Amino acid sequence: MTDQPPLASSPARIPLIPTILVALAVLVMISLGVWQLQRRGEKAAALALAAANPGRPAVSFPKLPPVEADILFRPSSIHCLRVVGWRVEAGRADDGSTGYRHIAECATGAEGPGALVAVGVGQKPDDIPNWTGGQVAGWISQEPDHRALVERIGGKAPPLRPMLIARTAPAGLKPAAPPSAADVPNNHLAYAVQWFIFAAVAVIIYILALRRRNKSA
């Protein structure tokens, strides 16, 4: 009785359409990572420009977002007709102490988007400041960023509204710390790394899935 030759193993089969879809998804994630690296350089240049803005002449307060780098942190002023609401955020006072920053939502006319004013920093979040509006001077900044991480990573987050940081505070509050470029994070490198990690994980998962599929075939 003669021995039968061993059967040759069939070559691994790679499904065409799923592979194309995964490759396209990986390419999109890599391009988003490269775009974030480009945005990192643009953000660094914008912050360098904004760092010198507090000492420059005053400009008109912007009505709509986004706040451009050439006016970020510039001195400005607005007239708050009336306060229509309050926000409370963690914040730092001009003397270095921490507390709760009280942000007024102001009406500036019969219509329009109004304006945000960080009037000062207090020790209790539920104390409503004794401030009903009026002329207020300070520095142009942006509202606190509560946008979803996925929106920010993908570049689809809505722009932050302009906010005035008041130079002086009403009774019972401390003046808020003046804006500083050091307080504005440049997270684009971290976002780029996350997109590259997503791409690598997608490739690894797909390779493992192909191996499992070919073993069971």
Side-chain angles (χ1 to χ4, degrees):
M1 184 175 180
T2 59
D3 294 334
Q4 296 291 331
L7 296 175
S9 59
S10 58
R13 290 179 296 174
I14 300 178
L16 179 61
I17 294 180
T19 301
I20 292 175
L21 293 177
V22 171
L24 289 175
V26 169
L27 287 175
V28 169
M29 286 184 277
I30 291 175
S31 17
L32 285 171
V34 172
W35 177 70
Q36 288 290 350
L37 290 178
Q38 294 172 343
R39 288 281 296 142
R40 181 192 181 213
E42 295 170 1
K43 184 71 170 288
L47 290 178
L49 174 62
N53 280 346
R56 299 176 65 190
V59 295
S60 299
F61 187 78
K63 294 181 179 180
L64 297 172
V67 179
E68 301 296 341
D70 60 338
I71 64 169
L72 184 63
F73 306 157
R74 290 279 292 270
S76 187
S77 62
I78 64 168
H79 185 75
C80 177
L81 290 178
R82 64 185 182 279
V83 178
V84 297
W86 288 97
R87 300 185 190 181
V88 180
E89 303 277 347
R92 181 169 52 88
D94 191 25
D95 63 3
S97 62
T98 58
Y100 297 94
R101 184 168 54 167
H102 294 268
I103 301 172
E105 298 182 1
C106 288
T108 55
E111 298 180 351
L116 298 175
V117 180
V119 299
V121 177
Q123 294 303 308
K124 296 181 180 180
D126 52 352
D127 281 352
I128 298 178
N130 184 23
W131 189 75
T132 57
Q135 189 71 17
V136 55
W139 301 273
I140 299 170
S141 183
Q142 300 176 114
E143 66 179 317
D145 193 352
H146 296 302
R147 299 172 297 179
L149 178 62
V150 173
E151 289 181 327
R152 284 183 283 164
I153 292 177
K156 296 182 179 180
L160 297 174
R161 292 176 61 190
M163 181 177 74
L164 188 76
I165 298 180
R167 288 181 182 271
T168 59
L173 297 179
K174 296 179 180 180
S180 169
D183 298 330
V184 181
N186 188 351
N187 296 326
H188 293 289
L189 177 59
Y191 296 158
V193 171
Q194 286 176 323
W195 279 121
F196 295 145
I197 290 175
F198 292 159
V201 169
V203 170
I204 292 172
I205 291 175
Y206 189 62
I207 291 175
L208 293 176
L210 285 178
R211 288 182 177 179
R212 181 176 297 179
R213 176 179 181 274
N214 290 324
K215 284 182 180 179
S216 60

